[in-house]
Structures are given as C-alpha cells and as structure tokens.
Amino acid sequence: MTSDVPKLPTGFGRLWTAQTVSSLGDGVSHAALPLLALTLTRDPMALAVVTAVGTLPWLLFGVLGGALVDRWDRRRTMWVVDAARAVLLVIPAAAAALDVLSIPLLAAVAFLLGLGGLFFDTAATAYLPDLLGRDPALLERANSRLRSAQTAASGFAGPPAGSALLALGRAVPLLADAVSFALSALLVRSLPAVPRPVPQARESLLRQARAGASYVFRDQLLLGLALRPAVGNIAFLAVETVLALFAHDRLGIGAFGFGLLLTAEATGGLLGAGIASFLGRRLGTGTALTCTAAVEGLAILGLAVAPNPYVAGLALAVCGAGMGATMVLAPSLRQAVVPAHLMGRVASTSRMLAMCAAPFGALLGGWLATAYDVRTPLYAAAGLLLTMTAVTSTMTSNRQVEAALRAAAPADDPEHPESGEPATRLLPSSG
C-alpha cells in the first residue's frame, strides 16, 4: 500500500457523523438502562435479564439477519432501523414519565434495540466497502476513524452523560438516545446510493443463510478471522467477570481506581485504532494481526502478574491497543475480500460466533476464580489468547491475505453462484 491513498468520499463523512451520534446515544443508554432497572428492582437476576437480552438477537437470528441484509438495500435498511429505534425508545420514555415503567418493558426494549443493532451493524458493514470501492487502504482508514469515534462516544462520553441525564429524570436519557437515532436516520438517508445486491437464484432464506455460514467455515482466511474474536471473547469475558474482584482484592483499589483501569483500556483502544493502518502498511495485514493478537495475550499475562495498579493499568492499556488495532484491520480485510452479495451473511456469521462464545468466558472465569484463585482466570485467558494466536497465524498470514486480495475482483462477479463454496480462490495452506 502506498502513501498516496485516495481521499475518503464525502459520503463517508456523513456515515461517520451518523455512527458517532448513534454511538453516543448507545453509550447513554448503556449506562441508563441498568440504572433505570435498578430503580425498579434489586433482584440480581432481573437486572441480569435486562443486560443479557440485548445479546439474544445475535444468538437467535444472526445468520438469518445477515441473509436478509444481503437481500435488502443496505442504506435503506440502516435508516429505517434507526428511525424505528427512535420511535421504540419513546415508549419506555413515556412509561417512565407516567411512572408505569417495568422490568419486562425494559427487557423487551433491550431485546428490540439489540435486534435493530443486528440489522444496522450488518448493513453498515456491507455498505461501507461498496461506498469505498472495496479499496483495502481506504477501508482501513475508514474503519480506523469509525472505531475511534465509536470508542470515544460510547466508551468515554456516553456513559457519564447517561448517568447525568438520568439525574434530570428517568425519561431524559431515553429521549436523548431516541434523538440520536433520529439524527442518525436522517444522515444515513442522505448517503449516496450504491448498487443493490444482485438477486440470487430463488432459494429459501434458510438455505441462503446456510450458504453464508458455509462460506466462512470453508475458507481458511475468513475462518481464522472469525476464530480470533470468538476465542478472544471467551478470554476477555473470563477476565471481565473477575476484574473488579481482582482489582479490589489483589491491587487494593476501590471504585474510582477501577474506573481508571477501564479508562486506561479504552485509551489504549483509541491508540490502537489510530495506528492500525500504519501497522498494516509496515508489517503487512496478516503479520500485523498476528502481532496484535500476541500483544493481547501477553498484556493479559502482564495483568495477571501485576504487583500494583500502575502495572495493571499499563497492561490493560496495551491490551486495549491490541484490540483496537485488531478491530480495524480484521473487518477491513474481510470487507475487501468477501463478495458483495455475501457480505451481510459473512459479517453476521462472524459476529454471531463471537457473541455465542462470550457466555462461556463468563462461566469459565467464575468457575476458575471459585475453584482456584482470582488470578487463575487471567492466566487461563492469556493462555487461550496465545494458543489462538499460534493456531491462526498461518490461516491469516501475509501470504494468505495477498492471495485473497488478488482473487477479490473476480469474487465480486455478479454472476457468482450462490453455492456456499469459497470457490473464488484457493488459498495456500501455509505461509
């Protein structure tokens, strides 16, 4: 890749603004929904339900949602979904104002917001490569900016804003999130149109969904890209489950210090997203992905042996940087090599694998901490991450990446058969 990369098109600025505004609203509701639930009940299981149901759409409808997105106009899908989410949030806001808000209503809203997120995120992932002409360098730059803005809006600005708005009234943060979705819908509606996915042979939705999943599992590069977040979620959820207890019992820090630890991780994520393109150019995308995965594993190992909060904060910042870079490089590569008519299904299949893996990580972390020691889940997570890095290193090597990019142009042939076979390229088995 050369330094004279074409400029991002004007439409990308509107997409970036829309996703930034929407991410800010997500951060507001991410903090406000649990706090709202806490005003209604102190039952831990009821609180857990409100948090957990937001992930269920990915587990239940992930691949089918991707198949639907591959049938629909991606831009229209995005703005209709955000408009629907804006209207949806008016319902709990009105219920809160009328003092009839309930846990079942909050759970239903969380589920529907998650379902909307499934369609919006999948459509946005499929729309971006069409907007940028599937240029790998442009995709890395665009995903870097999108990831940085998302982290800043939903990770830094949104949660404290949600807590502050809740102090003004229970309906206020919900209305603020509704406004963010409405603004996003208007911006997305103004985006340039891109060609609609070419209609495939008349097949059932289930068969088309199965074809998309098969494409991932039978393609070595795409499978490697999907395995990393799946295994990574097991490891990171194992850490997240015990992190507060580890910080209190082993590092001797309280609630404020724990917040600083999380801020350190988010700060590292911003840095990683910012340097992802540089790493891809200097090392090659495949080698860069292997290095960032190894950095994550070594950073968690450093966290496990951290003697004080300062070392722990540094370890989390380094881990966040590795994650931030990975979450720019991997999606950009996937968007560059996957045929347009399969993009929704491939993206949703990969995301569903990661979401399905997360609960196992939480259970693993809790069991290891109970059976052994609070540091044990951290050691186990580091081992998982480093093993995953070794296993997938040849699957996502520079040689594999270069072969996939060379084959990407014929892969986008509108006449490409809907067979579920990764027949567009034969990737070498080693590199």
Side-chain angles (χ1 to χ4, degrees), residues 66-102:
L68 285 170
V69 168
D70 280 337
R71 291 183 172 190
W72 297 340
D73 180 280
R74 277 82 184 255
R75 183 187 63 163
R76 180 178 299 161
T77 299
M78 287 189 288
W79 75 258
V80 168
V81 164
D82 265 2
R85 287 195 284 185
V87 173
L88 171 67
L89 282 165
V90 173
I91 297 173
L98 297 172
D99 202 25
V100 293
L101 193 63
S102 66

Side-chain angles (χ1 to χ4, degrees), residues 183-199:
L183 290 174
S184 175
L186 290 173
L187 287 165
V188 171
R189 181 69 180 83
S190 71
L191 288 173
V194 297
R196 293 187 61 173
V198 178

Side-chain angles (χ1 to χ4, degrees), residues 14-70:
R14 277 173 274 166
L15 179 64
W16 179 90
T17 303
Q19 291 212 20
T20 301
V21 169
S22 186
S23 293
L24 180 61
D26 287 344
V28 168
S29 62
H30 182 69
L33 281 179
L35 292 174
L36 276 172
L38 198 60
T39 66
L40 301 172
T41 181
R42 296 285 174 172
D43 180 359
M45 285 305 298
L47 297 174
V49 165
V50 173
T51 302
V53 293
T55 66
L56 284 180
W58 284 101
L59 307 182
L60 299 175
F61 311 116
V63 180
L64 288 175
L68 285 170
V69 168
D70 280 337

Side-chain angles (χ1 to χ4, degrees), residues 231-240 296-298 300-301 303-304 361 364-365 368 375-388:
V231 176
N233 265 5
I234 295 175
F236 294 131
L237 263 292
V239 173
E240 184 177 325
E296 293 168 16
L298 293 172
I300 295 299
L301 184 61
L303 176 65
L364 177 67
L368 289 175
R375 290 185 190 269
T376 305
L378 278 61
Y379 286 117
L384 272 175
L385 290 169
L386 293 173
T387 301
M388 175 269 298

